[in-house]
Amino acid sequence: MALKSISSSYISNRTTHLMSLDCGSSDLTYTDDNNIVWTGDDSFIGNGESEVVANTNNVSHVMSTLRVFTSRKKNCYSIPADQGNKVLVRASFYYGNYDKKSSPPTFDLLFDGNLWATVVTSIDQVIYYEVIYVVKGDAISVCVAQTMPNQYPFMSALEVRGIESDMYKYVDSNYALFSRRRVAYGANDTIRYSDDPYDRIWSPAIVSNGLIAVPGTDPTFIDNTGSANLPPPAVLANAVTTTSTSTSILIGTNLPTTPVPIYISMYFSEVTQLDSTQTRSFELYIDNKANSDPIIPPYDGVIELVTYNTTATSNTSFSLVATSSSTLPPIINALEVYAVSESPLTDGTNNKDVNGLSALQTAFSVLKEWSGDPCLPAPYTWDWVNCSSDATPRVTALYGLSSYLPDFSSMDALQTIDMHNNSIVGSIPDFLGTLPNLRQLNLANNELSGTIPTSISKNNNLKLTISGNPNLCTSTSSKSCGATTTTSTTSSSSGSPSGGAKTSKLPVILGVTIPVFVLFWALVGLMVILQQRRKRASLMAIGTGKFI
């Protein structure tokens, strides 16, 4: 376990709104009441159907539409991003009884090949999930995946916000932070952009159970540079406290019942200027044990206390307890609670295979709608591939393609390519025979033509199936690139075997017909000679009067 009081420099005037997608909306762009510019999602996903919710009471315009996915195991949004940037991604869901079935679905939510959450939607409430992490590639993928029959995943809104690299820095960049709670104590309304330039959503806390609100101060004069996470001054302008120093503040965390790694940031600011007789000093207790140095909130400033490198559950007790020297009870202004991913974020499918699949998607228009990681998470691979179970998976099999075959030789982990019963045209690429791990190549019942590359025909480790390609030239086919048959006796010198590769049969035919021609005239000549001899013999017999 580690706790930190930290400070940083304030960074302003940064562009943090990388993307705000109103899913299922026909609007190209519009600006909402929070001055956030929204755009429709058509350009970021190729599947799904737009729907309008039936119940729009007390929800924003953004929640009035959604995109629902009734096909494929997973469907993914792809948003351009810069590798190495730290982002906050928020996915929102509002069922609103759009299908008139009063049956809000449950499904999985994924990001960049990692499992994010199991989404449990509500018939009349907006549900949202947030994750903070460092982008590993050149795009962010957010996917929904069906987990139960007849419960179709959907998406109402998707937002990407850029944040500073120093924010939430006490977690390894290979791990993600999953938001569990973010609250502004003493606030009357939700605080987000433009009060928070990073558009974090700070929910107001209900003041009850012996807590009392501390009168707020003007946020204009609050310096937030004492915190690397840069909580907006608006959430520091109010606070809650207790009635006496003998009463502690119990902190709710919304953590799960099972232990998870945690990252908790608490923010403290004195919102009233104390006189010389007043002191406020308190400590953080975890499970009734002191776990911090004394905390003395500054006036018009902020102290951030971070708890990390430990696990906790919903039963773990977090409390603020006044020290013996304090004349005032403890105080808290704002809180953020995150669960840390239990394992490092995946690097995704092997880049060579990703590049090879990209070539296939360029060549096959039907594949262009597939996005997200092709192999990860393991239960949700693309329907037309098989993958290994390695930490960095390899694509081991391809299924069901049509059109010309592009060069995907970078996919050198392929063991099976099954493309039978499609409409593949053109010749068989030579590189297929050079894939080191390929053991089965099924190209049956297509429209292939040309010759079989020697890299394939001489590959004894490869099981090749090519039946049902009438235009393909083989060593045994009746249309095999110039081979003769008992029924073929003549051919044009430019003949092509039924639309296959253009090859001439003339040398073969001449090799057969010229010897037959010579033999025929040799026989004719022999018959003439024999006939002449018979005539001479006949004349001689007449001259002597002797009959033979």
Side-chain angles (χ1 to χ4, degrees), residues 259-340:
V260 293
I262 61 169
Y263 191 103
I264 298 178
S265 292
M266 300 180 186
Y267 305 99
F268 308 99
S269 177
E270 191 65 71
V271 296
T272 59
Q273 194 162 11
L274 306 183
D275 61 37
S276 60
T277 65
Q278 295 174 308
T279 59
R280 194 188 304 275
S281 174
F282 52 91
E283 296 171 314
L284 172 66
Y285 277 60
I286 300 179
D287 286 336
N288 300 317
K289 295 180 180 180
N291 277 274
S292 75
D293 294 331
I295 302 165
I296 303 174
Y299 176 66
D300 285 348
V302 61
I303 286 180
E304 173 188 356
L305 188 66
V306 182
T307 304
Y308 64 104
N309 280 352
T310 188
T311 61
T313 72
S314 58
N315 294 320
T316 304
S317 170
F318 294 84
S319 58
L320 301 174
V321 180
T323 63
S324 59
S325 62
S326 181
T327 64
L328 297 174
I331 192 174
I332 186 170
N333 306 72
L335 168 76
E336 292 185 272
V337 180
Y338 297 93
V340 183

Side-chain angles (χ1 to χ4, degrees), residues 258-426:
T258 55
V260 293
I262 61 169
Y263 191 103
I264 298 178
S265 292
M266 300 180 186
Y267 305 99
F268 308 99
S269 177
E270 191 65 71
V271 296
T272 59
Q273 194 162 11
L274 306 183
D275 61 37
S276 60
T277 65
Q278 295 174 308
T279 59
R280 194 188 304 275
S281 174
F282 52 91
E283 296 171 314
L284 172 66
Y285 277 60
I286 300 179
D287 286 336
N288 300 317
K289 295 180 180 180
N291 277 274
S292 75
D293 294 331
I295 302 165
I296 303 174
Y299 176 66
D300 285 348
V302 61
I303 286 180
E304 173 188 356
L305 188 66
V306 182
T307 304
Y308 64 104
N309 280 352
T310 188
T311 61
T313 72
S314 58
N315 294 320
T316 304
S317 170
F318 294 84
S319 58
L320 301 174
V321 180
T323 63
S324 59
S325 62
S326 181
T327 64
L328 297 174
I331 192 174
I332 186 170
N333 306 72
L335 168 76
E336 292 185 272
V337 180
Y338 297 93
V340 183
S341 58
E342 297 188 11
S343 57
L345 300 181
T346 177
D347 291 328
T349 299
N350 186 284
N351 195 54
K352 293 194 295 184
D353 294 342
V354 172
N355 292 337
L357 292 174
S358 179
L360 289 168
Q361 289 184 295
T362 300
F364 300 94
S365 59
V366 70
L367 304 180
K368 291 181 179 179
E369 296 179 356
W370 292 86
S371 59
D373 192 283
C375 294
L376 295 171
Y380 305 118
T381 60
W382 289 355
D383 291 348
W384 49 283
V385 303
N386 274 357
C387 302
S388 70
S389 58
D390 302 330
T392 301
R394 300 298 308 269
V395 176
T396 58
L398 295 175
Y399 303 99
L401 306 174
S402 59
S403 185
Y404 290 90
L405 290 178
D407 186 349
F408 52 93
S409 55
S410 63
M411 303 176 68
D412 53 17
L414 283 171
Q415 301 171 12
T416 301
I417 299 177
D418 188 349
M419 301 180 183
H420 76 288
N421 291 339
N422 283 283
S423 302
I424 302 174
V425 298

Side-chain angles (χ1 to χ4, degrees), residues 225-266:
T225 58
S227 167
N229 292 346
L230 300 173
V235 307
L236 303 175
N238 301 281
V240 294
T241 187
T242 61
T243 57
S244 69
T245 57
S246 61
T247 305
S248 60
I249 298 177
L250 297 177
I251 306 297
T253 59
N254 193 37
L255 290 171
T257 57
T258 55
V260 293
I262 61 169
Y263 191 103
I264 298 178
S265 292
M266 300 180 186

Side-chain angles (χ1 to χ4, degrees), residues 185-216:
Y185 292 102
N188 295 319
D189 299 301
T190 299
I191 297 171
R192 59 179 302 182
Y193 188 82
S194 58
D195 288 317
D196 186 343
Y198 306 100
D199 195 29
R200 291 165 291 188
I201 298 176
W202 303 83
S203 301
I206 298 175
V207 180
S208 61
N209 298 326
L211 295 178
I212 58 174
V214 179

Side-chain angles (χ1 to χ4, degrees), residues 53 66 93-99 101-105 122-123 154:
V53 302
L66 57 83
F93 308 90
Y94 179 62
Y95 170 64
N97 201 26
Y98 78 90
D99 56 2
K101 295 181 179 180
S102 299
S103 181
S122 167
I123 196 167
F154 68 89

